Amino acid sequence: MTRVPLRSPAIASQSLRAVAAAFGLALVILPAGAIAADGKALYESTCVACHGPTGKGAIPGVPDLATRLDKPDAELVNNVLNGFQTPGSPMAMPAKGGNPALTAEDAQAIIGYLRSGAGTPPPPSAANGAPASPPAAVLAPAPAGATSAGVAADSTAFARGAQAWADNCARCHAMRDPKSLPDEQWQVVVTHMRLRAGLDGAQADDILVFLKGSN
Amino acid sequence: MVVGKFLSPVGYFFQNLHPSWINKLASVPAGFGHGGAAPLTDVGVQLRGGRALADGHQLNYALYVANGPRLGLEGMEGLDLDVEGSSTNRDGERVWGGRVGWLPRPGLELGASLTRGDVVLDPGEMGIGMAEPTRAYRVEGVDVAWQASRAVSLRGEWIRQRVGDAPMSLAPDGATWRAWYVQGAYRFGADRWETVLRVGDSLSPHGESTFQQTALGLNYLFRPGTQLKLSWEINDSDNAEAEADRVLLQLAHGF
């Protein structure tokens, strides 16, 4: 068996410091569009399955986000992190959109991305003449890896599961709230629905990851 | 793999949409219930699954071998098809077939169903001492479902069962059961309310199962699996029993 030599702790520490310094520098000099791209990537990995590419909602029970962006950033971040149910809607959004890796900085980046879209209203503080929510480029620096952890979710089973859940379940019945059942019951339901909906094994596994991650 | 008694994989409505908390109206479409054109349940072996294809296409399939229906008599010569599966295969014949569904993109599904096999008339007391011949049993069906937008869903299905002629039988003439429906639904009011329009037609050897139907519905969803449904059916038939219009109120709750 080939042994891979380990780097010394000192060298590893220097490398980490260099990466951290580069990350901090990037936060200072990157244009707003570059940071907004993180918000876009996060939105497309965590939110798009239910909210759709335009934010207007991909499935019944999900409201048009354009009608929700008149709230202050702090309230929207809180809703993203803790989950939210629009009054009168049968569907509740799970905490962190069901993505356990999502941080407060990630949520802020997503909101920044949504606000950057054409036609989305500014937060009320800006309308009142007070300072608006900070532009994405001057957001408080995220802990190293915070945003990248969220973006990394793009390639995880969670994101695929969210998409498969949105694409397949509403073919026959009204969408269920992912928080409506405990994990062990979702296990039984997905096993049954794999048979009923003609899902392949990978899709069923991904949907289960999404549903458990949303609880 | 499914072994035992199962919802027939032929056609779409009964295997996927008939539970009351899924069906958007308080009644099943014309010809898709008992005595209708669509097989309901069967006993045998079934293989089901799906496959994600390139470019976002998706395929699902259900193939089966089963005991098939029981063919009996209604009156002296009228054929009666019992499409409820039984563990007792009285005629000793088997049927095979299934359904294939193709999703060229999420929200649009096109399906086709087929069954082939043989049945033997069970004439009951009228046929004591007579040997009944084997006759062909055929089912064909197509279905389509389209989630046109997050508020609008459209679907339709056509299905036909046929039993062949058997000149040496007590009931020599074959029979055909055929049904179709199209349905549209619209969600509004924060997705709590839903209106439904369904138009369908059922053809059967029996008058009480031959009718045209237009159904209107208004639903209120307390939760995704709990809804109150008010339905109004307008039925048109030469048979007085099938001609009657109905108003139905149903509270449905499912998982």
Side-chain angles (χ1 to χ4, degrees):
Chain A
M1 187 173 70
T2 305
R3 293 177 64 100
V4 178
L6 294 172
R7 290 188 297 175
S8 73
I11 293 174
S13 176
Q14 285 174 0
S15 300
L16 279 175
R17 276 199 294 273
V19 169
F23 183 78
L25 184 63
L27 282 174
V28 173
I29 63 174
L30 277 177
I35 299 293
D38 286 340
K40 181 176 187 291
L42 285 161
Y43 180 84
E44 291 176 348
S45 64
T46 302
C47 318
V48 73
C50 298
H51 289 287
T54 63
K56 292 186 179 301
I59 53 178
V62 177
D64 184 350
L65 287 177
T67 65
R68 300 295 186 270
L69 290 178
D70 56 350
K71 297 176 181 176
D73 277 16
E75 183 178 346
L76 292 173
V77 168
N78 182 64
N79 290 346
V80 171
L81 295 179
N82 298 309
F84 183 73
Q85 184 162 16
T86 300
S89 170
M91 283 275 288
M93 185 181 80
K96 301 180 179 180
N99 179 0
L102 202 78
T103 66
E105 290 75 18
D106 293 336
Q108 183 67 68
I110 290 170
I111 291 162
Y113 165 65
L114 291 172
R115 289 203 192 285
S116 72
T120 53
S125 54
N128 296 335
S133 56
V138 293
L139 289 175
T147 297
S148 58
V151 174
D154 192 19
S155 60
T156 66
F158 173 86
R160 293 194 309 270
Q163 191 65 58
W165 179 78
D167 287 347
N168 288 289
C169 302
R171 274 160 45 196
C172 293
H173 55 70
M175 294 298 291
R176 274 23 176 202
D177 181 351
K179 295 169 70 176
S180 62
L181 294 175
D183 288 356
E184 55 271 21
Q185 288 189 24
W186 277 127
Q187 180 89 44
V188 176
V189 169
V190 171
T191 301
H192 169 74
M193 291 311 302
R194 177 188 171 185
L195 190 77
R196 188 60 42 216
L199 305 174
D200 66 22
Q203 280 180 314
D205 289 345
D206 291 343
I207 288 173
L208 196 56
V209 168
F210 164 71
L211 292 169
K212 288 182 173 179
S214 300
N215 265 331
Chain B
M1 177 171 284
V2 183
V3 179
K5 186 171 184 177
F6 45 73
L7 299 173
S8 174
V10 179
Y12 195 85
F13 180 85
F14 198 77
Q15 62 168 321
N16 286 318
L17 303 175
H18 87 277
S20 56
W21 65 92
I22 297 176
N23 186 10
K24 292 182 183 296
L25 287 163
S27 62
V28 300
F32 284 79
H34 295 274
L40 302 183
T41 62
D42 219 327
V43 174
V45 180
Q46 184 184 177
L47 190 66
R48 299 180 69 100
R51 175 69 65 182
L53 306 175
D55 301 327
H57 292 216
Q58 202 169 317
L59 193 73
N60 58 64
Y61 58 86
L63 309 171
Y64 80 114
V65 177
N67 288 344
R70 189 188 70 84
L71 186 64
L73 280 177
E74 184 170 295
M76 289 298 290
E77 292 188 351
L79 292 176
D80 180 46
L81 201 58
D82 180 1
V83 289
E84 285 273 18
S86 171
S87 58
T88 304
N89 189 14
R90 292 188 187 179
D91 63 7
E93 302 292 338
R94 299 274 192 276
V95 300
W96 61 271
R99 176 184 176 276
V100 175
W102 173 51
L103 288 83
R105 62 183 178 82
L108 176 63
E109 180 170 8
L110 308 169
S113 304
L114 176 146
T115 295
R116 291 290 181 264
D118 293 322
V119 289
V120 179
L121 176 66
D122 177 5
E125 293 179 353
M126 283 187 279
I128 292 175
M130 293 182 62
E132 275 292 327
T134 297
R135 61 177 86 202
Y137 171 70
R138 304 276 188 272
V139 187
E140 294 91 23
V142 290
D143 58 85
V144 59
W146 181 34
Q147 188 74 36
S149 73
R150 60 190 295 277
V152 177
S153 63
L154 306 169
R155 65 172 67 248
E157 183 170 353
W158 176 93
I159 195 161
R160 181 178 65 188
Q161 286 186 110
R162 288 179 295 170
V163 172
D165 296 340
M168 303 304 290
S169 170
L170 190 63
D173 293 337
T176 298
W177 292 256
R178 190 266 301 139
W180 61 261
Y181 78 92
V182 291
Q183 175 181 292
Y186 174 68
R187 287 269 191 95
F188 61 99
D191 294 312
R192 290 277 183 185
W193 292 91
E194 185 174 51
T195 55
V196 188
L197 171 64
R198 186 180 69 202
V199 178
D201 182 275
S202 172
L203 174 70
S204 163
H206 311 296
E208 70 273 16
S209 297
T210 298
F211 61 106
Q212 297 81 47
Q213 182 184 83
T214 300
L216 289 163
L218 179 64
N219 306 330
Y220 181 76
L221 282 76
F222 296 100
R223 297 190 310 123
T226 305
Q227 52 186 296
L228 186 66
K229 297 187 283 188
L230 177 65
S231 303
W232 179 33
E233 284 181 2
I234 305 162
N235 295 307
D236 185 18
S237 173
D238 294 335
N239 181 281
E241 184 183 342
E243 170 83 0
D245 297 341
R246 299 192 299 175
V247 175
L248 305 164
L249 182 64
Q250 183 184 63
L251 177 64
H253 174 75
F255 76 85

